[in-house]
Amino acid sequence: MTVVSSLKQIHSLYSSFIVLAVVTASIIFTSTQATATEGDNRWFQIKSSLIGDSHIQDGQEILELDTPKRAMDAAIVPITIESKFEQTPDRYIKKLYIVIDNNPSPVAAVFTFPGNHSWKSLSTRVRINAYTDLRAIAEISDGSLYMVNNYVKASGGCSAPSLKDPAAAAAQLGRIKFRLPESFAAGDLVPTQLMIKHPNNSGLQFDQISRYYIPADFVRTIQVTYNGEEVFTVDTDISISEDPSIRFGFAPEKSGVLEVHVKDSKGRTFSHSMNLPEQRS
Amino acid sequence: MKQVKTTRQYGIFINFRKIYANLLSLDTSLLFQKILKIQYSQTCVMFSLALILLTTSATGVMAGGGFQQIAPGLYFSSGVHQDFSKSNKGQIANTGFIVGSERVAIIDTGSSYQQGLRIREHVRAVTDLPIDYVIVTHMHPDHALGTSAFSKDSPQVIGHQNLADALARRESTYLNNMKRLLGDSAKDTQLVIPSKSVTTTEGMSLNLGDRWLYLTAYPTAHTNNDLSVFDTKTGTLWLSDLLFVERIPVIDGSLLGWLKVMDGLMASGCINTQHNRQCQPIVQVVPGHGPVVTAWQSALAKQHHYLEEIANQIRRIISKGGTISQAVKSVGLDEQGNWLLFNEYHGRNVTAAFAELEWE
Ligand SMILES: [Zn+2]
């Protein structure tokens, strides 16, 4: 098991941020060159920005992607990704990309796992603007890439991927909660939900008083650690729903502190921690 | 800002896309918008492949267009209980107008510029008095997108204090949705930002000439910008989408907030107007969808029951560590027989309610 020093944590946080920024920038670059492209072409652009020419294999044996057929509320579309193989320190999912082809910013999230904690299921909530393919791409520790994708239909006419109550969101910004089962035994894979109060704003709106656009304000990086060891880090974007929620599983071997560090696009940082006893009951 | 065109003194018509283009080079935080612009051109192609939705009966279209007088000088047109479609031209929400001795107030303008024009024709068939007020009860496209049809009347466009912001945030989504779902009927539709705001603390009185209207802006309920119109002359309360009759309610604000608003209305049974110190009893209520009701308490109670039921069932799932997907599959299914368009909107309600209730 790798012991991750705090210095290394900071470094990985920083480097993954750079990755997302570079990806975003290059997608913008390629997108502006081709003005009217088909859906497949858009994916081609995203793919080449994300992973270049690397070959992606069919991921049916590696991942299962669960999405609703239709986005019911365009602002909150729950998605779940399951790992279909036993992850071990020798073979594990190193990176997981979530891509929503036809969203304004298609790369919704890039998860990085250090390989020291096995997981079976990962869920989050995304915004869906239009009829789109939604993709999960896993990079295995040996460098191989696997993809699964689902088609998601847009929601009805009255639904929009916008904040329902911006004032309420602003009032509670930065509140963080962990939700864990009442009881579990040491070594169990514990289903854990991380909830962060944040508007995760696209910044596309018009402020009627100032007549200027309010700048984007969204969560950029979330890092979860247990006793100082990284559980996962995720770089996020405006395609993640307001009040970001991530459900993950991890198996704490002994008692300790579950911690989360959040950084947003305005440079704010939020942290939260929770003590886990050896055996919760 | 010179890109903002002010048309006479009332609503402000804005070419948002033009502003995007101008601001793109100025603000580095708006990098994503370049992608968004590409997005528009692509989705236009997709929109032309839009779903063929429910077809509507000829009578349905009639019902969505004609106006009837439900109280002296108070005209009402009922929307059809369908989703937006090319055949119903988006005439799915109730709209109306109230005529005083000096002027006219419009309540909601429909889904498109063209529906707004049809409403205006109906007004002109009844009276030549000036249309001085256009009241928009909330942001939803079936209520708010026909406002530009009244530009030649130079009315005050009145909405909840949050309406302008809510519309601006949804502008591109709503206009694209209407293009996709209504096709040609959505032609020439543009957003009008209200010129006058009603605050949740003060309300607003409007004089139509021997007829006072009292406007109430609510805390977040159906949306974060719900406004009701009370006609003091006839005791008619136009609740719009704070009340759904027959058609399933849609949560796009706060389930808990909505329950509170309903509790308040049912507890008082009257409206405190500014010019009248007494609380004036509510005689009849106009919902946003469905027929006008005199037994409005029972209509509100039915809606209250639905929302409370899904809240309680979702709370149980949350307490067991369950997920939105699990809730969508199991919550509130007993209510299916009670509402039209249940399958289209119930899952959305459960999803939105879940995200709200898990922070309780
Ligand atoms: Zn509505």
Side-chain angles (χ1 to χ4, degrees), chain B residues 138 140 142-143 222-223 241 244:
Chain B
H138 66 294
H140 280 147
D142 46 339
H143 298 260
H222 166 62
T223 65
D241 279 5
F244 283 71

Side-chain angles (χ1 to χ4, degrees), chain B residues 24-333:
Chain B
L24 274 173
S25 53
L26 303 177
D27 189 343
T28 50
S29 73
L30 300 171
L31 281 174
F32 301 109
Q33 291 180 1
K34 282 207 179 175
I35 291 184
L36 190 72
K37 279 173 70 75
I38 309 301
Q39 163 79 3
Y40 289 139
S41 57
Q42 284 180 9
T43 46
C44 281
V45 179
M46 294 180 58
F47 290 151
S48 66
L49 305 168
L51 281 179
I52 297 160
L53 293 171
L54 289 168
T55 52
T56 182
S57 65
T59 50
V61 173
M62 293 276 285
F67 280 80
Q68 60 183 113
Q69 212 171 161
I70 54 165
L74 203 164
Y75 295 81
F76 164 84
S77 169
S78 70
V80 292
H81 287 322
Q82 295 170 0
D83 252 335
F84 296 94
S85 73
K86 291 189 174 80
S87 52
N88 64 34
K89 298 179 176 162
Q91 299 180 141
I92 62 170
N94 295 339
T95 56
F97 58 93
I98 305 179
V99 185
S101 65
E102 291 169 28
R103 55 189 71 87
V104 180
I106 306 292
I107 305 177
D108 283 348
T109 58
S111 305
S112 67
Y113 172 69
Q114 289 176 33
Q115 191 182 346
L117 285 182
R118 284 193 291 276
I119 294 169
R120 195 175 179 280
E121 278 168 26
H122 282 282
V123 177
R124 285 292 162 250
V126 169
T127 176
D128 287 329
L129 289 171
I131 299 168
D132 285 345
Y133 301 119
V134 172
I135 301 163
V136 180
T137 62
H138 66 294
M139 67 187 181
H140 280 147
D142 46 339
H143 298 260
L145 292 187
T147 307
S148 65
F150 297 91
S151 61
K152 50 177 143 323
D153 302 297
S154 304
Q156 284 191 345
V157 178
I158 303 170
H160 187 290
Q161 61 185 8
N162 292 336
L163 178 66
D165 177 74
L167 279 175
R169 286 171 191 263
R170 292 164 178 82
E171 187 237 6
S172 61
T173 307
Y174 282 173
L175 293 181
N176 280 336
N177 283 354
M178 292 305 107
K179 243 182 261 168
R180 165 168 63 101
L181 298 167
L182 303 182
D184 287 347
S185 300
K187 214 171 152 253
D188 300 327
T189 300
Q190 58 183 141
L191 198 69
V192 178
I193 295 291
S195 53
K196 214 162 177 194
S197 288
V198 185
T199 63
T200 49
T201 46
E202 287 184 17
M204 183 184 284
S205 295
L206 299 178
N207 185 5
L208 301 184
D210 306 315
R211 186 170 204 153
W212 284 86
L213 303 183
Y214 184 70
L215 278 49
T216 307
Y218 295 85
T220 305
H222 166 62
T223 65
N224 77 335
N225 51 87
D226 302 313
L227 188 72
S228 75
V229 183
F230 187 62
D231 174 32
T232 57
K233 191 170 178 181
T234 65
T236 304
L237 178 64
W238 196 294
L239 266 185
S240 191
D241 279 5
L242 286 169
L243 174 64
F244 283 71
V245 176
E246 296 168 356
R247 185 186 177 111
I248 188 169
V250 173
I251 304 166
D252 204 6
S254 159
L255 180 151
L256 299 174
W258 201 352
L259 286 172
K260 260 187 227 161
V261 166
M262 284 187 271
D263 288 339
L265 284 166
M266 286 196 277
S268 75
C270 60
I271 297 291
N272 266 309
T273 59
Q274 277 168 340
H275 76 288
N276 180 355
R277 285 187 172 272
Q278 287 170 334
C279 198
Q280 191 181 336
I282 300 163
V283 175
Q284 61 178 352
V285 168
V286 184
H289 299 266
V292 180
V293 283
T294 46
W296 59 270
Q297 289 95 338
S298 63
L300 270 180
K302 187 187 170 193
Q303 178 175 274
H304 196 283
H305 174 79
Y306 168 72
L307 295 174
E308 198 166 47
E309 191 58 30
I310 64 173
N312 290 337
Q313 292 184 28
I314 289 168
R315 283 185 181 117
R316 282 198 285 277
I317 290 177
I318 291 171
S319 72
K320 283 187 227 151
T323 64
I324 288 181
S325 314
Q326 287 163 352
V328 166
K329 281 180 198 129
S330 66
V331 164
L333 300 181

